[in-house]
């Protein structure tokens, strides 16, 4: 807003002020109101900065817990691939051979950028495996102005995968017939398809599910209550997945599962 | 989450652990992961509390600015009614005689409850006027559990209006033919209709526009740039209002006007 008050569009009093403009007393009051607004704006900005600092502080405090968790997770074979398979939406993009490949996933990391709002990255750490040479595959999201000085945002990037010969799962999926039993209702047909696609960084449902649902509490997916195990057969699992996607609001569904555990 | 790990639904390794259950080493790791999760949950809760404290602190710091603004506003006749009339959505619920009545509105106040998330109240302060006896009309929103111990939420309440004889604008509107020139596309036909209706406290578009748009920065509506004044006639103003409501997303439109001024 400019600091000099502008003309009123309407004068509700109908006392003729419209053409003459506000009188001197009113002009003075308006200028002081404008000064008040500037004070309020400055306070709002300071409040945002302080809230950001609190978020940064707790990101740092949470970090050792997440690191400790990562070490513990390494003692459990297939922790992450099992959590992915048990996650109602993420499971929908796992091709059978990708599941096989993800057995080599020994560590998952989600890192918010220092200023939080500008973006985050997801690091997938792999054991030596028959599919590709990379030790770490990273998908990085730059969502806000502060992220990059050259203004290339919103944007996402992903590590180029160095497939071993004859093991390119993306190519195999393109050529082989669609034999996977699972119904796929996501935008992405497969995990590596999702990983490599950077066309729409802003609405990346899978990335958000990993960041806001799997990462804050994977145990709820790794461990599944007995009650859900017994009555389900393959078809029913498919139906559930379908519902979750038809809803077009997968993120919120995930949040419901977290409830008071995802207060960040 | 329970503190005792439950059985896995799927064992992705396919190494026969499913029936036998995780071995002792894994059980131990899972219990430690669960302890990590509890630490993370506790940190999340602390973060929420600190952020709330920052918000409370700045609500207090903003208060004197808002009070000073209220005093200054009193020096400008019809400040609030003019701001209401110039607001693209709020103007849609102002009946002509209500506009007349709102000339007596000398002070508007929005107060968030101490814990912020539980709700807020809007106080309309009036001069002596021909329409009703009340000096203050209050509309109060209880939106969250913390608001009331008896669990009556979400709910809104509004001061019963003590209409002077023959001046009940709600009754008059019910009986008189619909002569007002303005097109009305809101859920509410008139201002006092809105004020008195507590049927849907959660989706009260008008209350939210007052709280999040008019209250943080009324000057932007009281003062309207010259450029918008000249080409418009009555019919065009009506068309604009219609668009704003057809969009079904009035709040966001208001927020756009605020941009960096509404960082709270």
């Amino acid at each position: 807003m400019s600091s000099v008050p502008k003309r009123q569009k309407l004068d509700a009093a109908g006392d003729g002020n419209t053409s003459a403009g506000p009188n001197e007393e009113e002009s003075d009051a308006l200028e002081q109101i404008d000064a008040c607004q500037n004070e309020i704006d400055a306070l709002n900005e300071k409040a945002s900065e302080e809230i950001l600092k609190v978020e940064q502080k707790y990101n740092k405090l949470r970090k050792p817990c997440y690191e400790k968790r990562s070490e513990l997770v390494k003692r459990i074979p297939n922790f992450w691939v099992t959590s992915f398979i048990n996650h109602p939406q993420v499971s929908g993009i796992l091709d059978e051979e990708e599941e096989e490949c993800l057995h080599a996933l020994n560590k998952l990391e989600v890192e918010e950028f220092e200023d939080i709002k500008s973006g985050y990255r997801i690091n997938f750490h792999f054991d030596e495996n028959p599919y590709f040479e990379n030790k770490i595959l990273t998908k990085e999201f730059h969502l806000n102005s502060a992220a990059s000085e050259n203004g290339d945002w919103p944007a996402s990037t992903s590590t180029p995968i160095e497939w071993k010969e004859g093991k390119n799962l993306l190519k195999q999926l393109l050529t082989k017939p669609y034999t996977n039993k699972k119904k796929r209702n996501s935008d992405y047909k497969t995990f590596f398809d999702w990983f490599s696609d950077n066309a729409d960084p802003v609405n990346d449902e899978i990335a958000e599910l990993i960041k806001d649902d799997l990462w804050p509490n994977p145990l709820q997916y790794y461990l599944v209550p007995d009650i859900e195990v017994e009555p389900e057969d393959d078809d029913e699992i498919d139906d559930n997945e379908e519902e979750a996607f038809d809803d077009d609001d997968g993120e919120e569904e995930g949040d419901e599962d977290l409830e008071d555990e995802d207060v960040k």
Side-chain angles (χ1 to χ4, degrees), chain A:
Chain A
M1 160 161 318
S2 112
S3 59
V4 182
K6 298 193 190 100
R7 194 187 303 165
Q8 290 171 236
K9 178 172 157 190
L10 289 170
D11 186 88
D15 57 10
N17 263 359
T18 309
S19 49
N23 64 32
E24 213 170 292
E25 150 78 8
E26 287 182 27
S27 274
D28 177 59
L30 282 171
E31 265 173 44
Q32 289 187 56
I33 290 173
D34 198 43
C36 272
Q37 283 302 145
N38 290 338
E39 276 181 67
I40 291 165
D41 292 349
L43 284 170
N44 289 343
E45 200 151 315
K46 269 186 168 179
S48 293
E49 280 166 23
E50 274 190 40
I51 286 168
L52 181 65
K53 273 181 193 155
V54 173
E55 282 169 352
Q56 287 169 333
K57 182 177 104 182
Y58 279 92
N59 268 358
K60 271 187 194 129
L61 288 169
R62 273 185 288 253
K63 210 167 179 201
C65 295
Y66 282 133
E67 278 165 7
K68 191 178 162 196
R69 192 182 72 185
S70 285
E71 288 312 304
L72 290 164
V73 158
K74 283 183 182 166
R75 287 164 53 188
I76 300 171
N78 305 308
F79 180 90
W80 285 113
V81 70
T82 306
S83 302
F84 285 12
I85 288 168
N86 287 347
H87 189 286
Q89 287 103 326
V90 176
S91 64
I93 63 158
L94 295 178
D95 177 79
E96 272 174 33
E97 199 165 358
E98 286 182 328
E99 281 183 27
E100 196 55 40
C101 172
L102 288 172
H103 286 176
L105 175 63
N106 61 50
K107 184 177 174 185
L108 178 76
E109 260 179 328
V110 175
E111 298 177 327
E112 286 188 288
F113 295 161
E114 180 69 12
D115 65 350
I116 293 168
K117 281 158 198 164
S118 69
Y120 61 96
R121 70 174 64 86
I122 307 173
N123 298 321
F124 301 90
H125 297 251
F126 286 88
D127 292 326
E128 187 77 42
N129 70 73
Y131 294 92
F132 47 76
E133 303 289 349
N134 314 63
K135 291 276 169 283
I136 304 175
L137 296 179
T138 298
K139 186 152 181 160
E140 193 165 311
F141 293 83
H142 296 271
L143 301 176
N144 217 313
S145 57
S148 68
E149 276 152 17
N150 54 21
D152 286 343
W153 52 271
S156 67
T157 57
S158 30
T159 311
I161 305 176
E162 299 165 40
W163 298 105
K164 292 184 179 173
E165 205 173 318
K167 287 295 194 174
N168 187 330
L169 294 177
L170 281 170
K171 271 196 191 155
Q172 286 181 15
L173 288 164
L174 284 174
T175 52
K176 80 177 177 185
Y178 193 52
T179 54
N180 195 297
K181 276 185 304 179
K182 284 181 189 165
K183 287 175 198 163
R184 298 264 162 74
N185 294 282
S186 170
D187 288 342
Y188 301 103
K189 287 204 173 56
T190 73
F191 180 81
F192 288 110
D193 195 13
W194 160 74
F195 180 82
S196 309
D197 181 356
N198 293 299
D200 186 7
V202 175
N203 301 304
D204 193 318
E205 189 202 1
I206 297 296
E208 284 171 11
L209 288 168
I210 292 174
K211 173 173 156 287
D212 298 328
D213 197 12
L214 269 163
W215 171 250
N217 191 340
L219 213 49
Q220 66 181 323
Y221 296 108
Y222 182 76
L223 304 167
V224 177
D226 291 356
I227 199 164
E228 283 183 34
V229 181
E230 280 137 28
E232 282 181 354
D233 61 31
D234 270 355
D235 286 335
E236 278 174 9
I237 291 173
D238 285 351
D239 288 350
N240 288 346
E241 280 165 11
E242 202 170 4
E243 270 174 40
F245 278 113
D246 285 354
D247 191 59
D248 205 15
D249 209 349
E251 204 196 342
E252 273 194 25
E253 283 207 352
D255 286 352
E256 274 172 34
D257 290 333
L258 287 173
E259 281 182 356
D260 48 356
E261 282 154 323
D262 186 23
V263 265
K264 192 178 61 175

